[in-house]
mmCIF file of all heavy atoms in Angstrom:
data_model
loop_
_atom_site.group_PDB
_atom_site.id
_atom_site.type_symbol
_atom_site.label_atom_id
_atom_site.label_comp_id
_atom_site.label_asym_id
_atom_site.label_seq_id
_atom_site.Cartn_x
_atom_site.Cartn_y
_atom_site.Cartn_z
ATOM 1 N N LEU A 33 -20.940 16.526 -8.831
ATOM 2 C CA LEU A 33 -22.042 15.502 -8.739
ATOM 3 C C LEU A 33 -22.659 15.215 -10.139
ATOM 4 O O LEU A 33 -22.959 14.020 -10.385
ATOM 5 C CB LEU A 33 -23.276 16.206 -7.963
ATOM 6 C CG LEU A 33 -23.335 15.951 -6.459
ATOM 7 C CD1 LEU A 33 -24.532 16.518 -5.861
ATOM 8 C CD2 LEU A 33 -23.246 14.445 -6.014
ATOM 9 N N GLN A 34 -22.700 16.199 -10.934
ATOM 10 C CA GLN A 34 -23.146 15.902 -12.345
ATOM 11 C C GLN A 34 -22.164 15.008 -13.044
ATOM 12 O O GLN A 34 -22.554 14.144 -13.802
ATOM 13 C CB GLN A 34 -23.385 17.271 -13.043
ATOM 14 C CG GLN A 34 -24.477 18.050 -12.492
ATOM 15 C CD GLN A 34 -25.732 17.278 -12.343
ATOM 16 O OE1 GLN A 34 -26.186 16.645 -13.375
ATOM 17 N NE2 GLN A 34 -26.329 17.308 -11.262
ATOM 18 N N LEU A 36 -20.299 12.697 -11.566
ATOM 19 C CA LEU A 36 -20.626 11.426 -10.990
ATOM 20 C C LEU A 36 -21.792 10.685 -11.602
ATOM 21 O O LEU A 36 -21.928 9.587 -11.822
ATOM 22 C CB LEU A 36 -20.723 11.576 -9.453
ATOM 23 C CG LEU A 36 -20.788 10.313 -8.708
ATOM 24 C CD1 LEU A 36 -19.360 9.571 -8.742
ATOM 25 C CD2 LEU A 36 -21.216 10.423 -7.260
ATOM 26 N N LEU A 37 -22.886 11.575 -11.864
ATOM 27 C CA LEU A 37 -23.917 11.094 -12.570
ATOM 28 C C LEU A 37 -23.718 10.594 -13.924
ATOM 29 O O LEU A 37 -24.210 9.560 -14.406
ATOM 30 C CB LEU A 37 -25.045 12.161 -12.627
ATOM 31 C CG LEU A 37 -26.425 11.839 -13.313
ATOM 32 C CD1 LEU A 37 -27.158 10.924 -12.331
ATOM 33 C CD2 LEU A 37 -27.259 13.140 -13.409
ATOM 34 N N ARG A 59 -21.317 -9.665 -2.999
ATOM 35 C CA ARG A 59 -22.111 -8.456 -2.514
ATOM 36 C C ARG A 59 -21.270 -7.500 -1.793
ATOM 37 O O ARG A 59 -20.308 -7.875 -1.060
ATOM 38 C CB ARG A 59 -23.139 -9.059 -1.564
ATOM 39 C CG ARG A 59 -23.919 -7.955 -0.797
ATOM 40 C CD ARG A 59 -25.233 -7.686 -1.400
ATOM 41 N NE ARG A 59 -25.722 -6.460 -0.814
ATOM 42 C CZ ARG A 59 -26.939 -6.251 -0.242
ATOM 43 N NH1 ARG A 59 -27.732 -7.222 -0.277
ATOM 44 N NH2 ARG A 59 -27.334 -5.095 0.213
ATOM 45 N N ASP A 61 -21.122 -5.189 0.955
ATOM 46 C CA ASP A 61 -22.075 -4.984 2.129
ATOM 47 C C ASP A 61 -21.895 -3.545 2.458
ATOM 48 O O ASP A 61 -22.822 -2.957 3.116
ATOM 49 C CB ASP A 61 -21.569 -5.825 3.271
ATOM 50 C CG ASP A 61 -21.991 -7.334 3.072
ATOM 51 O OD1 ASP A 61 -23.139 -7.406 2.509
ATOM 52 O OD2 ASP A 61 -21.320 -8.254 3.589
ATOM 53 N N GLU A 62 -20.741 -2.812 2.185
ATOM 54 C CA GLU A 62 -20.661 -1.466 2.604
ATOM 55 C C GLU A 62 -21.612 -0.466 1.890
ATOM 56 O O GLU A 62 -21.748 0.651 2.282
ATOM 57 C CB GLU A 62 -19.264 -0.921 2.411
ATOM 58 C CG GLU A 62 -18.267 -1.604 3.279
ATOM 59 C CD GLU A 62 -17.803 -2.949 2.761
ATOM 60 O OE1 GLU A 62 -18.155 -3.371 1.632
ATOM 61 O OE2 GLU A 62 -17.076 -3.646 3.406
ATOM 62 N N CYS A 63 -22.206 -0.945 0.757
ATOM 63 C CA CYS A 63 -23.080 -0.069 0.065
ATOM 64 C C CYS A 63 -24.427 -0.288 0.621
ATOM 65 O O CYS A 63 -24.894 -1.254 1.087
ATOM 66 C CB CYS A 63 -23.125 -0.434 -1.446
ATOM 67 S SG CYS A 63 -21.605 0.036 -2.344
ATOM 68 N N GLN A 64 -25.261 0.898 0.649
ATOM 69 C CA GLN A 64 -26.515 0.828 1.169
ATOM 70 C C GLN A 64 -27.504 0.238 0.210
ATOM 71 O O GLN A 64 -28.664 0.045 0.591
ATOM 72 C CB GLN A 64 -26.868 2.301 1.520
ATOM 73 C CG GLN A 64 -26.029 2.868 2.478
ATOM 74 C CD GLN A 64 -26.276 4.267 2.965
ATOM 75 O OE1 GLN A 64 -27.141 5.005 2.425
ATOM 76 N NE2 GLN A 64 -25.613 4.703 4.047
ATOM 77 N N GLU A 90 -31.793 2.882 -9.055
ATOM 78 C CA GLU A 90 -32.291 3.656 -7.957
ATOM 79 C C GLU A 90 -31.076 4.185 -7.111
ATOM 80 O O GLU A 90 -31.297 4.911 -6.102
ATOM 81 C CB GLU A 90 -33.322 3.022 -7.044
ATOM 82 C CG GLU A 90 -34.555 2.609 -7.804
ATOM 83 C CD GLU A 90 -34.366 1.461 -8.726
ATOM 84 O OE1 GLU A 90 -33.616 0.573 -8.379
ATOM 85 O OE2 GLU A 90 -35.033 1.384 -9.795
ATOM 86 N N ALA A 91 -29.822 3.731 -7.312
ATOM 87 C CA ALA A 91 -28.742 4.044 -6.537
ATOM 88 C C ALA A 91 -27.655 4.735 -7.416
ATOM 89 O O ALA A 91 -26.567 4.247 -7.518
ATOM 90 C CB ALA A 91 -28.215 2.778 -5.840
ATOM 91 N N PRO A 92 -27.996 5.927 -7.952
ATOM 92 C CA PRO A 92 -27.015 6.431 -8.964
ATOM 93 C C PRO A 92 -25.617 6.878 -8.317
ATOM 94 O O PRO A 92 -24.684 6.853 -8.939
ATOM 95 C CB PRO A 92 -27.818 7.705 -9.549
ATOM 96 C CG PRO A 92 -28.960 7.934 -8.584
ATOM 97 C CD PRO A 92 -29.249 6.592 -7.875
ATOM 98 N N THR A 93 -25.685 7.238 -7.060
ATOM 99 C CA THR A 93 -24.409 7.678 -6.467
ATOM 100 C C THR A 93 -23.453 6.353 -6.431
ATOM 101 O O THR A 93 -22.336 6.445 -6.766
ATOM 102 C CB THR A 93 -24.659 8.179 -5.092
ATOM 103 O OG1 THR A 93 -25.438 9.319 -5.171
ATOM 104 C CG2 THR A 93 -23.450 8.587 -4.392
ATOM 105 N N GLN A 128 -18.015 16.761 0.315
ATOM 106 C CA GLN A 128 -18.951 17.802 0.659
ATOM 107 C C GLN A 128 -20.352 17.719 -0.047
ATOM 108 O O GLN A 128 -21.436 17.926 0.522
ATOM 109 C CB GLN A 128 -18.427 19.270 0.450
ATOM 110 C CG GLN A 128 -17.183 19.593 1.195
ATOM 111 C CD GLN A 128 -17.539 19.439 2.735
ATOM 112 O OE1 GLN A 128 -18.485 19.769 3.315
ATOM 113 N NE2 GLN A 128 -16.550 18.771 3.430
ATOM 114 N N ALA A 129 -20.264 17.412 -1.301
ATOM 115 C CA ALA A 129 -21.431 17.284 -2.154
ATOM 116 C C ALA A 129 -22.227 15.981 -1.866
ATOM 117 O O ALA A 129 -23.497 16.035 -2.011
ATOM 118 C CB ALA A 129 -21.115 17.341 -3.664
ATOM 119 N N SER A 131 -21.544 13.890 0.940
ATOM 120 C CA SER A 131 -21.479 13.646 2.420
ATOM 121 C C SER A 131 -20.606 12.395 2.744
ATOM 122 O O SER A 131 -20.571 11.460 2.005
ATOM 123 C CB SER A 131 -22.843 13.340 3.046
ATOM 124 O OG SER A 131 -23.175 12.011 3.094
ATOM 125 N N LEU A 133 -20.557 10.070 4.812
ATOM 126 C CA LEU A 133 -21.247 8.803 5.138
ATOM 127 C C LEU A 133 -21.320 8.015 3.703
ATOM 128 O O LEU A 133 -21.229 6.766 3.700
ATOM 129 C CB LEU A 133 -22.625 9.164 5.587
ATOM 130 C CG LEU A 133 -23.192 8.039 6.535
ATOM 131 C CD1 LEU A 133 -22.443 7.908 7.809
ATOM 132 C CD2 LEU A 133 -24.640 8.528 6.918
ATOM 133 N N ARG A 134 -21.678 8.631 2.640
ATOM 134 C CA ARG A 134 -21.959 7.999 1.490
ATOM 135 C C ARG A 134 -20.656 7.654 0.741
ATOM 136 O O ARG A 134 -20.698 6.926 -0.275
ATOM 137 C CB ARG A 134 -22.789 8.906 0.546
ATOM 138 C CG ARG A 134 -24.248 9.100 0.987
ATOM 139 C CD ARG A 134 -24.862 10.151 0.161
ATOM 140 N NE ARG A 134 -26.405 10.301 0.502
ATOM 141 C CZ ARG A 134 -27.025 11.398 0.561
ATOM 142 N NH1 ARG A 134 -26.351 12.466 0.265
ATOM 143 N NH2 ARG A 134 -28.259 11.494 0.838
ATOM 144 N N ARG A 136 -18.356 5.806 2.009
ATOM 145 C CA ARG A 136 -17.934 4.556 2.497
ATOM 146 C C ARG A 136 -18.086 3.466 1.579
ATOM 147 O O ARG A 136 -17.396 2.363 1.475
ATOM 148 C CB ARG A 136 -18.469 4.190 3.923
ATOM 149 C CG ARG A 136 -18.339 5.438 4.861
ATOM 150 C CD ARG A 136 -17.868 4.880 6.251
ATOM 151 N NE ARG A 136 -17.551 6.019 7.049
ATOM 152 C CZ ARG A 136 -18.288 6.330 8.165
ATOM 153 N NH1 ARG A 136 -19.281 5.655 8.490
ATOM 154 N NH2 ARG A 136 -17.892 7.433 8.886
ATOM 155 N N ASP B 42 -34.423 12.055 -0.886
ATOM 156 C CA ASP B 42 -34.125 10.635 -1.038
ATOM 157 C C ASP B 42 -32.864 10.336 -0.289
ATOM 158 O O ASP B 42 -32.095 11.101 0.222
ATOM 159 C CB ASP B 42 -33.631 10.353 -2.600
ATOM 160 C CG ASP B 42 -34.875 10.709 -3.467
ATOM 161 O OD1 ASP B 42 -35.944 10.191 -3.262
ATOM 162 O OD2 ASP B 42 -34.614 11.342 -4.515
ATOM 163 N N GLU B 43 -32.688 9.075 -0.205
ATOM 164 C CA GLU B 43 -31.432 8.567 0.380
ATOM 165 C C GLU B 43 -30.288 8.941 -0.497
ATOM 166 O O GLU B 43 -29.291 9.345 0.026
ATOM 167 C CB GLU B 43 -31.517 7.044 0.612
ATOM 168 C CG GLU B 43 -30.165 6.490 0.922
ATOM 169 C CD GLU B 43 -30.234 5.259 1.746
ATOM 170 O OE1 GLU B 43 -31.205 4.401 1.515
ATOM 171 O OE2 GLU B 43 -29.413 5.003 2.615
ATOM 172 N N ASP B 44 -30.530 8.624 -1.839
ATOM 173 C CA ASP B 44 -29.399 8.803 -2.786
ATOM 174 C C ASP B 44 -29.335 10.307 -3.297
ATOM 175 O O ASP B 44 -30.389 10.664 -3.805
ATOM 176 C CB ASP B 44 -29.575 7.919 -3.885
ATOM 177 C CG ASP B 44 -28.371 7.829 -4.837
ATOM 178 O OD1 ASP B 44 -27.854 8.924 -5.375
ATOM 179 O OD2 ASP B 44 -27.771 6.743 -4.949
ATOM 180 N N VAL B 45 -28.337 10.938 -3.046
ATOM 181 C CA VAL B 45 -28.291 12.338 -3.426
ATOM 182 C C VAL B 45 -28.320 12.750 -4.854
ATOM 183 O O VAL B 45 -28.670 13.822 -5.307
ATOM 184 C CB VAL B 45 -26.961 13.053 -2.801
ATOM 185 C CG1 VAL B 45 -25.666 12.419 -3.603
ATOM 186 C CG2 VAL B 45 -26.930 14.462 -2.846
ATOM 187 N N LEU B 46 -28.271 11.684 -5.771
ATOM 188 C CA LEU B 46 -28.404 11.879 -7.136
ATOM 189 C C LEU B 46 -29.669 11.415 -7.855
ATOM 190 O O LEU B 46 -29.913 11.483 -8.960
ATOM 191 C CB LEU B 46 -27.135 11.172 -7.925
ATOM 192 C CG LEU B 46 -25.910 12.024 -8.035
ATOM 193 C CD1 LEU B 46 -24.715 11.109 -8.573
ATOM 194 C CD2 LEU B 46 -26.020 13.261 -8.779
ATOM 195 N N LEU B 47 -30.429 10.706 -7.039
ATOM 196 C CA LEU B 47 -31.762 10.131 -7.564
ATOM 197 C C LEU B 47 -32.670 11.099 -8.190
ATOM 198 O O LEU B 47 -33.117 10.881 -9.292
ATOM 199 C CB LEU B 47 -32.409 9.328 -6.585
ATOM 200 C CG LEU B 47 -33.529 8.423 -7.048
ATOM 201 C CD1 LEU B 47 -33.205 7.492 -8.044
ATOM 202 C CD2 LEU B 47 -34.258 7.696 -5.784
ATOM 203 N N ASP B 49 -31.762 13.703 -9.785
ATOM 204 C CA ASP B 49 -31.181 14.089 -10.987
ATOM 205 C C ASP B 49 -31.408 13.096 -12.152
ATOM 206 O O ASP B 49 -31.302 13.490 -13.297
ATOM 207 C CB ASP B 49 -29.614 14.244 -10.837
ATOM 208 C CG ASP B 49 -29.381 15.311 -9.786
ATOM 209 O OD1 ASP B 49 -29.411 14.938 -8.565
ATOM 210 O OD2 ASP B 49 -28.953 16.488 -10.155
ATOM 211 N N THR B 50 -31.762 11.817 -11.821
ATOM 212 C CA THR B 50 -32.086 10.807 -12.791
ATOM 213 C C THR B 50 -33.342 11.025 -13.431
ATOM 214 O O THR B 50 -33.804 10.334 -14.326
ATOM 215 C CB THR B 50 -31.878 9.372 -12.304
ATOM 216 O OG1 THR B 50 -32.770 9.089 -11.283
ATOM 217 C CG2 THR B 50 -30.429 9.231 -11.635
ATOM 218 N N LYS B 58 -35.041 19.538 -5.227
ATOM 219 C CA LYS B 58 -34.487 18.425 -4.351
ATOM 220 C C LYS B 58 -33.996 19.036 -3.084
ATOM 221 O O LYS B 58 -33.525 20.088 -3.070
ATOM 222 C CB LYS B 58 -33.293 17.806 -5.137
ATOM 223 C CG LYS B 58 -32.297 17.122 -4.166
ATOM 224 C CD LYS B 58 -31.330 16.308 -5.003
ATOM 225 C CE LYS B 58 -30.114 17.020 -5.493
ATOM 226 N NZ LYS B 58 -29.004 16.355 -6.172
ATOM 227 N N ASP B 60 -31.803 17.723 0.220
ATOM 228 C CA ASP B 60 -30.836 16.626 0.608
ATOM 229 C C ASP B 60 -30.717 16.756 2.024
ATOM 230 O O ASP B 60 -30.303 17.654 2.619
ATOM 231 C CB ASP B 60 -29.631 16.607 -0.092
ATOM 232 C CG ASP B 60 -28.791 15.378 0.261
ATOM 233 O OD1 ASP B 60 -29.354 14.215 -0.137
ATOM 234 O OD2 ASP B 60 -27.810 15.461 0.817
ATOM 235 N N TRP B 61 -31.001 15.563 2.791
ATOM 236 C CA TRP B 61 -31.006 15.525 4.239
ATOM 237 C C TRP B 61 -29.608 15.736 4.781
ATOM 238 O O TRP B 61 -29.413 16.381 5.758
ATOM 239 C CB TRP B 61 -31.635 14.186 4.787
ATOM 240 C CG TRP B 61 -30.872 12.962 4.336
ATOM 241 C CD1 TRP B 61 -30.854 12.338 3.176
ATOM 242 C CD2 TRP B 61 -30.039 12.284 5.241
ATOM 243 N NE1 TRP B 61 -30.111 11.251 3.248
ATOM 244 C CE2 TRP B 61 -29.536 11.145 4.451
ATOM 245 C CE3 TRP B 61 -29.657 12.296 6.568
ATOM 246 C CZ2 TRP B 61 -28.662 10.175 4.897
ATOM 247 C CZ3 TRP B 61 -28.755 11.370 7.042
ATOM 248 C CH2 TRP B 61 -28.265 10.318 6.273
ATOM 249 N N HIS B 62 -28.590 14.986 4.142
ATOM 250 C CA HIS B 62 -27.276 15.128 4.549
ATOM 251 C C HIS B 62 -26.614 16.517 4.392
ATOM 252 O O HIS B 62 -26.046 17.110 5.259
ATOM 253 C CB HIS B 62 -26.472 14.177 3.718
ATOM 254 C CG HIS B 62 -25.893 12.862 4.497
ATOM 255 N ND1 HIS B 62 -25.456 12.953 5.741
ATOM 256 C CD2 HIS B 62 -25.904 11.686 4.151
ATOM 257 C CE1 HIS B 62 -25.141 11.828 6.105
ATOM 258 N NE2 HIS B 62 -25.480 10.935 5.225
ATOM 259 N N THR B 63 -26.772 16.961 3.101
ATOM 260 C CA THR B 63 -25.941 18.174 2.861
ATOM 261 C C THR B 63 -26.653 19.474 3.005
ATOM 262 O O THR B 63 -26.123 20.452 2.916
ATOM 263 C CB THR B 63 -25.517 18.052 1.267
ATOM 264 O OG1 THR B 63 -26.633 17.885 0.480
ATOM 265 C CG2 THR B 63 -24.614 16.875 1.073
ATOM 266 N N LYS B 100 -37.635 4.752 -1.045
ATOM 267 C CA LYS B 100 -37.683 3.858 0.196
ATOM 268 C C LYS B 100 -38.931 4.222 1.095
ATOM 269 O O LYS B 100 -38.702 4.442 2.241
ATOM 270 C CB LYS B 100 -36.434 3.939 0.898
ATOM 271 C CG LYS B 100 -35.211 3.782 0.024
ATOM 272 C CD LYS B 100 -33.943 3.079 0.700
ATOM 273 C CE LYS B 100 -33.121 2.585 -0.336
ATOM 274 N NZ LYS B 100 -31.857 2.002 0.149
ATOM 275 N N ASP B 192 -27.365 -4.078 5.703
ATOM 276 C CA ASP B 192 -26.990 -3.308 4.621
ATOM 277 C C ASP B 192 -26.404 -1.952 5.013
ATOM 278 O O ASP B 192 -25.950 -1.194 4.119
ATOM 279 C CB ASP B 192 -28.190 -2.981 3.654
ATOM 280 C CG ASP B 192 -28.923 -4.162 3.180
ATOM 281 O OD1 ASP B 192 -28.291 -5.347 3.445
ATOM 282 O OD2 ASP B 192 -29.964 -4.209 2.772
ATOM 283 N N TYR B 193 -26.319 -1.621 6.290
ATOM 284 C CA TYR B 193 -25.737 -0.365 6.620
ATOM 285 C C TYR B 193 -24.645 -0.457 7.708
ATOM 286 O O TYR B 193 -24.665 -0.013 8.764
ATOM 287 C CB TYR B 193 -26.763 0.632 7.234
ATOM 288 C CG TYR B 193 -27.784 1.099 6.208
ATOM 289 C CD1 TYR B 193 -28.681 0.227 5.731
ATOM 290 C CD2 TYR B 193 -27.833 2.447 5.707
ATOM 291 C CE1 TYR B 193 -29.633 0.654 4.769
ATOM 292 C CE2 TYR B 193 -28.719 2.873 4.889
ATOM 293 C CZ TYR B 193 -29.703 1.949 4.312
ATOM 294 O OH TYR B 193 -30.634 2.345 3.518
ATOM 295 N N PRO B 194 -23.549 -1.258 7.387
ATOM 296 C CA PRO B 194 -22.584 -1.610 8.385
ATOM 297 C C PRO B 194 -21.718 -0.495 8.832
ATOM 298 O O PRO B 194 -21.056 -0.559 9.858
ATOM 299 C CB PRO B 194 -21.766 -2.666 7.654
ATOM 300 C CG PRO B 194 -21.911 -2.398 6.275
ATOM 301 C CD PRO B 194 -23.237 -1.832 6.016
ATOM 302 N N GLU B 195 -21.744 0.564 8.069
ATOM 303 C CA GLU B 195 -20.737 1.642 8.411
ATOM 304 C C GLU B 195 -21.179 2.502 9.656
ATOM 305 O O GLU B 195 -20.429 3.255 10.150
ATOM 306 C CB GLU B 195 -20.579 2.600 7.214
ATOM 307 C CG GLU B 195 -21.727 3.529 6.876
ATOM 308 C CD GLU B 195 -22.833 2.826 6.147
ATOM 309 O OE1 GLU B 195 -22.851 1.593 6.041
ATOM 310 O OE2 GLU B 195 -23.757 3.524 5.684
ATOM 311 N N GLU B 196 -22.446 2.393 10.128
ATOM 312 C CA GLU B 196 -22.806 3.138 11.111
ATOM 313 C C GLU B 196 -22.831 2.412 12.455
ATOM 314 O O GLU B 196 -23.906 2.452 13.193
ATOM 315 C CB GLU B 196 -24.156 3.850 10.848
ATOM 316 C CG GLU B 196 -23.976 4.852 9.797
ATOM 317 C CD GLU B 196 -25.244 5.475 9.242
ATOM 318 O OE1 GLU B 196 -26.297 5.333 9.914
ATOM 319 O OE2 GLU B 196 -25.316 5.958 8.101
#
Side-chain angles (χ1 to χ4, degrees):
Chain A
L33 268 185
Q34 293 308 308
L36 192 66
L37 184 63
R59 167 99 197 232
D61 286 330
E62 291 80 9
C63 288
Q64 300 183 346
E90 297 74 36
T93 300
Q128 295 307 315
S131 91
L133 207 65
R134 290 167 172 148
R136 305 223 177 114
Chain B
D42 298 314
E43 167 152 37
D44 194 303
V45 67
L46 275 174
L47 189 55
D49 301 78
T50 67
K58 166 167 80 172
D60 185 62
W61 64 286
H62 251 315
T63 59
K100 309 209 165 179
D192 305 343
Y193 292 67
E195 75 277 12
E196 287 170 22

